[in-house]
Amino acid sequence: MLVSMAGNQQTRPAIGELAKDTATGRIGVVMGGVGGRVQIGSVGGGMEWDAQPGNVVAPGAREELSARLAIRNGNSRDAL
């Protein structure tokens, strides 16, 4: 589900969805928001980072596929 940004036609991913931080080019999962920033968790695990809401967008189709493959590959390694 994409969340509408107030006063703007753009949308940004909701909690639990993949997102791209356009300021850094990184892709992650939206974890929440604190202090006017969006918290994004790394796809492969590790540290979350804060992003400005205006820099958080849905990833492109290729970016999303790549991130989903990385998640799946990580899950399959954990099962070994």
Side-chain angles (χ1 to χ4, degrees):
M1 174 175 135
L2 295 175
V3 178
S4 219
M5 297 173 68
N8 194 325
Q9 293 298 332
Q10 292 182 335
T11 57
R12 73 168 189 251
I15 292 173
E17 293 185 332
L18 287 173
K20 179 177 182 177
D21 178 355
T22 60
T24 64
R26 294 172 67 188
I27 306 259
V29 178
V30 176
M31 306 303 284
V34 173
R37 293 182 180 257
V38 178
Q39 292 180 311
I40 302 175
S42 177
V43 170
M47 297 290 293
E48 293 179 1
W49 73 93
D50 291 339
Q52 295 291 336
N55 293 337
V56 178
V57 299
R62 284 182 189 233
E63 294 167 322
E64 182 172 350
L65 178 59
S66 179
R68 290 193 185 282
L69 285 172
I71 291 169
R72 186 167 183 112
N73 287 340
N75 290 342
S76 66
R77 279 192 296 269
D78 293 341
L80 295 177

